[in-house]
Amino acid sequence: APLLEVRDLVTQYPVKTAGFKRAKTHFRAVDGVSLDIHPGEILAIVGESGSGKSTLGKSILRLVEPASGEIRLAGTDILGLKRPDLRRLRRHMQMVFQDPFGSLNPRRTAFSQIAEPLVIHGIAKGADLANRVEGLAKRVGIPSDMLSRYPHAFSGGQRQRLCIARALALSPKLIVADEAVSALDASIRAQVLELMLELQREMGLTYLFISHDIGVVRQISDRIGVMYRGKLVELGETEAVCSAP
Ligand code: ADP
Ligand code: ADP
């Protein structure tokens, strides 16, 4: 059975219209997308800037509210969940973004950023929390003496590792990676990608991997979906999609 099932998903944003009528119109950033992701699979979503990739990723976690359609994670109807249940479900799905400064708090230490989800969900405290945070940092290659430092002291690659450690803290099943390695230099990007692949093998992670970089996607994905103006216009095995005319 698929880990994630998306059916006829529509997510729209309001459009501000000029003039006195103020008609309320919407524009569909995601316009009827259906796809499945199987456990352990890496499904890449590619497409030009503005095609709706990010909105699709955020919709799956309900970081933006879809207008219609269905999303199921391991059979659970995500769009039907009330807030408290949605919060619980977030343990199973995490998003890693492109700009680590955008999602890291500049005023909190690396330790506290990794610890945050564990604290919020009441999973660990005290010595247990410290052990878990150190274990996660070690796993993603952040030296433990850097845990007391603030994000500005980290390089781009280290910040991305920090984001990954935080995303892994709750042992999620699905990671939605939105341009997660796009801002990194080629050699650092290769290292972070390698880390993500190792984690996939070790922890049985499943990825929805959003990227505009077909080179990266070709290297790591099992299947590729192509978005164009909010629609999924192609979906298939990586080699088939890459070799299509
Ligand atoms: P991407 O790299 O995915 O193209 P963008 O630069 O389009 O990212 O968007 C960056 C952030 O700004 C996102 O969180 C997105 O939701 C938001 N955003 C993008 N376009 C608009 C818009 N027209 N109005 C308001 N927010 C937007
Ligand atoms: P991509 O990730 O493929 O670059 P996005 O999902 O970021 O695409 O954006 C799809 C479209 O929706 C773009 O036209 C973008 O400007 C618009 N958009 C994104 N976020 C918002 C937002 N918060 N408010 C209004 N429009 C948005």
Side-chain angles (χ1 to χ4, degrees):
L3 175 65
L4 183 78
E5 300 166 80
V6 175
R7 292 287 170 274
D8 305 319
L9 190 71
V10 174
T11 303
Q12 52 195 15
Y13 296 114
V15 177
K16 288 203 184 81
T17 48
F20 66 96
K21 265 185 93 180
R22 296 272 162 87
K24 211 172 189 189
T25 56
H26 290 91
F27 133 83
R28 294 183 164 194
V30 172
D31 190 3
V33 168
S34 298
L35 55 84
D36 286 347
I37 308 182
H38 296 277
E41 187 180 34
I42 302 182
L43 174 65
I45 298 292
V46 301
E48 62 190 34
S49 182
S51 57
K53 307 183 296 296
S54 234
T55 303
L56 173 63
K58 289 176 192 163
S59 299
I60 289 169
L61 278 81
R62 274 180 69 182
L63 299 176
V64 294
E65 208 53 58
S68 62
E70 274 180 54
I71 303 173
R72 291 180 186 280
L73 183 78
T76 301
D77 169 20
I78 291 175
L79 299 185
L81 293 178
K82 302 254 190 305
R83 283 287 144 185
D85 297 324
L86 186 60
R87 219 179 116 212
R88 222 165 297 136
L89 195 95
R90 289 258 164 81
R91 292 184 57 169
H92 304 303
M93 291 193 283
Q94 288 288 313
M95 199 151 173
V96 178
F97 294 95
Q98 167 172 24
D99 171 19
F101 273 134
S103 57
L104 292 172
N105 185 336
R107 293 174 208 287
R108 298 184 67 177
T109 63
F111 183 96
S112 107
Q113 322 245 8
I114 298 175
E116 188 184 22
L118 293 166
V119 172
I120 288 179
H121 286 267
I123 290 168
K125 56 185 177 185
D128 179 31
L129 179 65
N131 279 334
R132 284 178 190 241
V133 170
E134 276 168 28
L136 286 160
K138 188 171 176 202
R139 182 61 201 84
V140 301
I142 293 175
S144 58
D145 61 1
M146 285 200 75
L147 285 172
S148 60
R149 309 194 64 179
Y150 293 85
H152 67 259
F154 286 64
S155 68
Q158 285 173 325
R159 283 202 295 274
Q160 205 53 281
R161 288 170 189 273
L162 190 53
C163 291
I164 292 170
R166 183 176 56 183
L168 292 176
L170 300 172
S171 306
K173 297 187 176 76
L174 177 70
I175 299 277
V176 176
D178 187 359
E179 303 285 5
V181 297
S182 303
L184 304 175
D185 292 341
S187 65
I188 307 293
R189 181 190 307 142
Q191 291 168 15
V192 174
L193 274 178
E194 187 48 46
L195 170 66
M196 293 177 77
L197 288 174
E198 283 169 21
L199 294 168
Q200 181 215 15
R201 290 190 290 262
E202 282 170 28
M203 307 173 70
L205 287 177
T206 303
Y207 288 107
L208 181 71
F209 192 93
I210 297 168
S211 178
H212 68 279
D213 185 339
I214 196 76
V216 164
V217 156
R218 187 169 194 163
Q219 193 187 329
I220 69 155
S221 63
D222 300 307
R223 287 190 300 145
I224 298 181
V226 182
M227 285 194 73
Y228 181 73
R229 296 191 179 177
K231 294 187 193 299
L232 196 62
V233 292
E234 207 179 335
L235 181 63
E237 303 285 324
T238 296
E239 277 318 304
V241 172
C242 287
S243 59

